[in-house]
Amino acid sequence: MKNDLIESRNRRDNSLLGFLNSKLGRYTDIETDVAPLRARLAANQTKVNGVVQQVLGADATDSSGRTRGLRGQLTDILLRLIRGLRAEGLSTNNTDLIARLPDRPSALRRHLGGTTFAEEARRLLDLGAPLAEALVRRRYPQALNAQAEGLLKQYNDSLVDGRETDNDGSTGRQMLERLIKDNERIKKALAVFFALYQDDEDEADVYDLFRAAAKVVRRGGQEGPRETPGA
């Protein structure tokens, strides 16, 4: 579940709980049905609100400026390595070497996840190791390779730090997602009861208030997926 979805669902669930607590006098005839659902939602939100910023913050920072900075430095060196390896492969007609180089080196900057990037960096450095002396002529000095090894170690360490900050990896996120999914089930159950007001001319606004409180709104005012009442 993406961070923006977690945030929007959490805002919705807080909004829904606020509605249920503030409008108790408006739905007295279904209070017996709503009370246990309201209590369950309140218990869930106490847990969610206690960890949501910690989990999202750990994920967003990734241990963060540090990790991004290390990745940027390492990427610059890896791109030089790739250019050197490609030149060496072409010069020596080493088609196997050329075939093992990435078709789109720019993916190192944008398209690879943290662990996948580290694995690709390790593969490229290992690929260049037997050709260290030849690569010096390709503008890839051994001192630069040593720097890349150091950066990769620091990068891997930063990934571990980020996972530990996020409650030993994904534990905190998994708990959040489990609670948010339970809140979704609570909302659907509540919709069944509040839909009873839908056709009541005098109290139809109770249903409208419920729907407004139960709507997922992303940042910037964009609505989430349309939902059918009671679906």
Side-chain angles (χ1 to χ4, degrees):
M1 192 178 292
K2 294 183 178 179
N3 285 0
D4 63 340
L5 183 57
I6 288 176
E7 288 183 311
S8 61
R9 289 287 177 86
N10 186 44
R11 285 195 299 273
R12 186 276 307 277
D13 295 338
N14 282 327
S15 171
L16 181 55
L17 182 60
F19 160 77
L20 294 173
N21 286 330
S22 65
K23 302 296 182 182
L24 284 167
R26 297 298 310 277
Y27 58 87
T28 54
D29 47 344
I30 58 171
E31 165 61 9
T32 302
D33 303 302
V34 170
L37 295 170
R38 185 177 63 239
R40 194 167 114 206
L41 179 61
N44 285 353
Q45 284 308 99
T46 296
K47 295 176 184 176
V48 169
N49 291 326
V51 301
V52 64
Q53 291 307 317
Q54 174 190 342
V55 171
L56 298 185
D59 184 74
T61 60
D62 192 61
S63 246
S64 190
R66 176 181 172 224
T67 301
R68 286 196 300 271
L70 291 168
R71 177 165 177 161
Q73 294 176 67
L74 181 54
T75 296
D76 289 341
I77 297 175
L78 291 174
L79 292 175
R80 286 185 64 169
L81 172 60
I82 292 168
R83 289 193 292 269
L85 288 170
R86 182 167 284 115
E88 180 65 16
L90 183 62
S91 176
T92 60
N93 197 29
N94 188 338
T95 55
D96 178 65
L97 174 60
I98 294 173
R100 296 172 70 183
L101 296 175
D103 293 330
R104 299 180 60 195
S106 62
L108 287 169
R109 292 201 186 280
R110 295 186 295 275
H111 303 307
L112 300 182
T115 302
T116 305
F117 171 80
E119 291 172 350
E120 177 66 356
R122 180 72 271 154
R123 186 186 75 84
L124 290 170
L125 290 170
D126 289 346
L127 192 59
L131 301 169
E133 292 184 8
L135 285 169
V136 172
R137 294 189 301 111
R138 309 299 179 189
R139 314 300 298 173
Y140 185 74
Q142 292 184 27
L144 196 60
N145 193 73
Q147 183 182 347
E149 291 284 359
L151 288 168
L152 179 57
K153 182 182 184 306
Q154 292 179 63
Y155 181 80
N156 281 323
D157 289 345
S158 74
L159 293 180
V160 173
D161 290 344
R163 286 193 292 269
E164 288 177 349
T165 301
D166 186 14
N167 291 332
D168 192 26
S170 60
T171 305
R173 177 173 291 274
Q174 289 172 352
M175 183 186 75
L176 271 182
E177 293 184 1
R178 184 169 62 251
L179 291 169
I180 288 170
K181 288 175 182 177
D182 187 47
N183 287 347
E184 184 68 19
R185 291 188 288 270
I186 293 171
K187 188 214 71 172
K188 290 180 178 180
L190 288 167
V192 172
F193 298 116
F194 279 96
L196 298 173
Y197 292 100
Q198 185 173 2
D199 298 319
D200 190 319
E201 186 174 333
D202 294 332
E203 296 188 285
D205 66 312
V206 175
Y207 178 66
D208 292 336
L209 290 169
F210 166 79
R211 290 188 65 193
K215 182 189 300 180
V216 172
V217 179
R218 299 180 185 273
R219 289 197 182 279
Q222 179 183 357
E223 291 188 15
R226 291 186 178 275
E227 299 170 346
T228 303

